[in-house]
Amino acid sequence: MERYEEAEKALYRLARKGHYTPEQMRGQLALMKYTNEKEKAEAANSSYWDCFRGTNLRRTEIVCMTFLIQTECGQAICSYATVFLKAAGMAQTMAFNYSMAIQSTNIVATGIAIYFMGRLGRRTFYMAGVCAIGLFQMVIGIIGVAGISKASEGIAVAVMMILINLTFKLSLGPACYTIIGEMPNSRVRAQSVVLARTTYIIGNTVNGQIIPRQLNVKEWNWGAKCGWYWMGLCALGAVYTWFRIPESRNRTFLELDHLFAMRVPARKFSNYHIDSE
């Protein structure tokens, strides 16, 4: 159903006051109509194989790796906070209380991220998150080999886990979904998201096997030293983000199609000039 009048009202309501002039609004609605018709025509005969053809291969790689990096930054250890902190020498009740504090950062941090991501950019948010979490994981690893008392180790690890979860909810968490929604070609967007989510599930399944073994005293018994493992994965994620994940802020889907078709490097997406003529 083509409800263009309602779309115009919604655009005015969602935009800042005075952001659109009547002429700009007509142009924006015309672009939306054209994009909508183009997407319907292109999506009619799409398949999963199309995700791996031409420039779509690069875009599929980006969305899958974006989701994989989110799972492999080590934030999942926060789900095992009570077990982790008890192993670090913290009393059971205190470990549970800190676990609740770690999880309570979710609501506040996500709300802040919604405000800033549109202003700072998806790539910037994602890169900052990977690097910050990697730094906190390195601190946890240092704590694990520093030889400090168990009580001090437990509190120090708890603080780092709060910072990891806060950073994740400020950056990797929300930015990941925005990147995945904007990167694919409109023709295969649904299929690309399915492939990305499958990658995420595989990553989480592997983590579900690794993390309990890292923390279990009867298995690998790494304790806080597991921070070195996750720091290494964060470093790899940061390298990938720098070279492969483009900035999609303030770009229309048509502009992104053009940038990928021109094989513009990820680092140049935000400043690359597109001749509208």
Side-chain angles (χ1 to χ4, degrees), residues 87-151:
M90 187 176 287
Q92 181 171 335
T93 301
M94 187 64 72
F96 177 78
N97 291 339
Y98 268 104
S99 178
M100 290 298 98
I102 291 167
Q103 298 304 323
S104 67
T105 62
N106 296 355
I107 298 175
V108 176
T110 302
I112 296 172
I114 291 172
Y115 177 80
F116 281 106
M117 186 166 56
R119 291 161 174 78
L120 300 179
R122 296 83 163 102
R123 171 186 162 90
T124 302
F125 247 50
Y126 207 77
M127 173 62 81
V130 173
C131 293
I133 291 175
L135 176 63
F136 299 142
Q137 295 286 9
M138 182 181 71
V139 174
I140 290 178
I142 292 173
I143 293 169
V145 298
I148 61 178
S149 67
K150 281 293 185 181

Side-chain angles (χ1 to χ4, degrees), residues 165-210:
N165 207 49
L166 179 64
T167 303
F168 182 86
K169 298 302 180 181
L170 276 171
S171 55
L172 290 187
C176 172
Y177 293 96
T178 305
I179 293 169
I180 290 170
E182 294 176 343
M183 283 298 110
N185 184 295
S186 57
R187 184 183 177 212
V188 291
R189 181 167 292 115
Q191 292 89 340
S192 298
V193 172
V194 170
L195 292 172
R197 189 64 181 180
T198 301
T199 305
Y200 170 86
I201 292 171
I202 293 171
N204 267 349
T205 301
V206 173
N207 288 342
Q209 297 296 316
I210 291 176

